[in-house]
Structures are given as C-alpha cells and as structure tokens.
Amino acid sequence: MAKKRPQTKAAKAQSAKAQLTDGPIPVVGAREPCPCGSGRRYKACHGRAAAHAVTELVQRPFEGLSGECDWIALRELVPAATAELTLKGGLPDGVPSVTLATVLPMAWPALRRDDGSVLLALQNDTSSGDLSRDLADTLQRALSAEPGNPVAAQRVPADGPRLQDLLDPEAEFAPVVHPGFEFWVPDAENATPEVSASLERANAAAIPTVKLAGADAAYWCETPDKNHLRWVMPHPEEKLLDALARLHSAGTSSLGEGTRLVGSFRAHGLTVPVWDLPSAMRAEDCEKPAAELQERLTAALAVDAPLTGDERRARGGLTNRQVTLS
C-alpha cells in the first residue's frame, strides 16, 4: 500500500475552505483573514461581494421612509434634534420608546437607557456605505441591549435588514429641533463627568438652527457673519435645477431684500439649495418669503419648455457652485 502523505498547509486551507463554503461565511473586519480559509483578507475575498451588494444601495439610503428630506437634514444640517420612531408591529416588551437623535454623547451609535427606552444616533460614521442598513443593525442591537448601556459600532452584514424593513412607513416623522443636547440625559445635573464634558463641548459647538413651520425640511441657521436657509427638496435634481435657473434668471429666486440663492449641494440622493440671509433675518422672518418662493418654484417645475440662453447661464452658475456631501 502507498504511504499516506501528510496534508500540506495549502491542502489544509483548501479543506477548511471547502468546509466553510458549504455554509454562510461569517462577516469579519475588512483587513482580517477571510473565514473561508483562503489566506486572503476578507475585503479581497468574500468581503468583495458584500461590499458590492451594499454599494448598490448608497444613492438614496432614506428613500421610502416617511420624511426622507428631514432624515437628510438631521443627518447633514441640524446639530441637535430628535424624532420619535414607530416600529412595524409595535415596540418590544420593555422598550417604552425609540427616538432618533442627531448625535449622542461620546459618539455612541445608540443607547439603551435605564428605563429601557432607546436613542439611535444618526450622524455617526458607518461601516457599510448604506446608512439605512447600518442604522437598522444598530437599532436591532439596541432593542435587545441591557438597559443602561450604549451600543458599540460593528461591521454590518450585507444582507441585513434596512430601516425600511423595521419602521412603519405610514407613521409621521416629526423632528424636534433643540437649542442644545440636554435631551441626552433625563437629569443633566446628575450626569457622569464624561457625559457632562461631552454635553458641554457639544453645546459650545452647535450652530443655532430652527426648522421652518410652513415649509417641509427647510432649516434656518445662524453663523457669525450671516444667516442661511438650507432647504432639502424632494424633486429630481435636473428638473429642480432647471426650475431654480428659471427663477434666478427672472430675478425671483431670492427670499427678499438682502438675500440670495448662492448654490446647492447634494446629500444622499437629493438636492439642497442654500440661501444667504442678512444677520438680522431670523427664522420667523423666513416663513412668508419661503411660502411665496415655494409657489413660484411649483410653477417653474411645471414648465417643460427648453431653457433660454439666460436661464442656461443661470443654471451653469448654480451647477458650478454645487458640491456633494455623500
């Protein structure tokens, strides 16, 4: 009989790979060895398919959620805000409420409070490239976490649920903008030194921001030199830029004397026009001009005629001043 040859390292790896690939491959860190036993890093092996699957979802992570424009505003524009979330099928036992927050102390992704309620942070860095999937994973872990504990960040499976799978699409999304971050703790005076220090730093850095009452996802903010109105709009980008160019060419794109449309930026698949405002113009002063602008914009969006030469030049100016945040 021929002598049985010992398995080489390569043969052992191939055998391990064969065993693992018979079932699902666990998700690990991008630079860790792939669990399949190939000897390559996860990101260069089975992680490539996971990364590609997530990339398909990046453009509009909040599409299909109630209040998509406000989700984007809370992610990119608003320092301190909260919004109550409604889960499909209701809340689990022991969880009295789930609240979305712009940020949490020490940049926690989520927090299960002592009373069992959950705070989910929106502005944290994410691992997968799909904010909706990352937030859904964090939310699920927060719902089952021990009360009184934060939830740590982790790599998210590419086939995990998204917010659209967990939240009630019919429930109202109603952000509440706060002047500071005292909503972090029920009793700020008795917070730990670490949380108190984080609260003080956050309050000092927050830009005063107000949500307009009469316009969806329009937010006034105050800066040292001038104020601004930043308005997340749901319209397709090309059609919206055409409409704004028509108004700009006609001299009707401003919000009144001393204001001007200065450009726009893209964020999570939607366009956010920005107006410069005089320092004396407060949020309440924007309400009527914003409502009137909305009427003019609605009329301009309904026009299908080709842009005139002046309108094309106005559009070019708007496009040249456009940046992408996501």
Side-chain angles (χ1 to χ4, degrees):
M1 291 177 63
K3 187 182 290 186
K4 190 173 181 179
R5 288 167 33 177
Q7 267 193 314
T8 64
K9 182 184 284 188
K12 289 179 180 178
Q14 190 65 31
S15 175
K17 181 177 180 180
Q19 293 175 10
L20 272 171
T21 50
D22 287 340
I25 303 298
V27 176
V28 297
R31 300 178 67 84
E32 294 180 38
C34 187
C36 77
S38 66
R40 292 181 290 174
R41 290 177 177 173
Y42 180 71
K43 68 177 183 179
C45 193
H46 282 84
R48 278 194 302 185
H52 177 71
V54 169
T55 301
E56 301 294 330
L57 306 169
V58 173
Q59 281 297 312
R60 286 179 66 176
F62 305 120
E63 185 176 16
L65 292 177
S66 175
E68 179 187 8
C69 294
D70 280 311
W71 277 88
I72 293 172
L74 266 57
R75 167 72 185 185
E76 300 296 341
L77 308 179
V78 183
T82 56
E84 296 301 310
L85 299 181
T86 304
L87 306 186
K88 290 180 179 178
L91 294 167
D93 290 340
V95 180
S97 64
V98 175
T99 303
L100 183 73
T102 46
V103 291
L104 291 176
M106 276 77 78
W108 291 330
L111 171 66
R112 182 86 186 272
R113 282 176 160 165
D114 291 334
D115 66 354
S117 60
V118 168
L119 286 175
L120 176 67
L122 181 56
Q123 293 182 8
N124 286 56
D125 292 335
T126 57
S127 62
S128 76
D130 179 8
L131 278 170
S132 179
R133 197 179 304 281
D134 288 329
L135 288 164
D137 178 81
T138 302
L139 174 56
Q140 285 189 313
R141 291 187 291 117
L143 291 171
S144 60
E146 287 295 320
N149 287 284
V151 175
Q154 72 171 28
R155 190 170 180 83
V156 176
D159 58 351
R162 307 179 73 231
L163 287 174
Q164 289 81 347
D165 302 315
L166 304 182
L167 301 183
D168 182 351
E170 302 301 323
E172 182 185 10
F173 185 74
V176 177
V177 179
H178 303 279
F181 294 88
E182 283 71 21
F183 65 85
W184 281 352
V185 285
D187 184 4
E189 292 183 359
N190 295 321
T192 65
E194 293 83 359
V195 171
S196 294
S198 185
L199 179 62
E200 185 176 344
R201 289 193 301 270
N203 282 341
I207 296 174
T209 301
V210 177
K211 185 182 190 304
L212 296 196
D216 289 338
Y219 290 81
W220 170 95
C221 70
E222 180 181 22
T223 61
D225 296 328
K226 62 184 70 174
N227 300 337
H228 306 279
L229 184 72
R230 299 177 289 187
W231 196 339
V232 187
M233 295 188 170
H235 316 291
E237 180 180 327
E238 296 302 314
K239 194 168 185 63
L240 175 58
L241 290 176
D242 281 354
L244 289 172
R246 295 183 197 279
L247 297 183
H248 202 62
S249 175
T252 58
S253 64
S254 76
L255 294 166
E257 185 178 355
T259 73
R260 67 188 185 104
L261 174 63
V262 292
S264 64
F265 56 85
R266 299 185 190 93
H268 310 293
L270 295 184
T271 303
V272 187
V274 179
W275 285 263
D276 276 354
L277 312 173
S279 296
M281 192 171 186
R282 315 305 294 173
E284 58 271 21
D285 301 325
C286 296
E287 294 285 359
K288 184 178 178 182
E292 293 170 346
L293 176 66
Q294 180 65 71
E295 292 182 3
R296 298 195 299 272
L297 181 62
T298 299
L301 285 165
V303 177
D304 291 327
L307 296 179
T308 66
D310 286 344
E311 291 168 346
R312 286 196 302 273
R313 283 187 287 274
R315 193 187 194 284
L318 292 173
T319 304
N320 290 338
R321 297 192 297 274
Q322 189 176 51
V323 297
T324 301
L325 297 186
S326 59

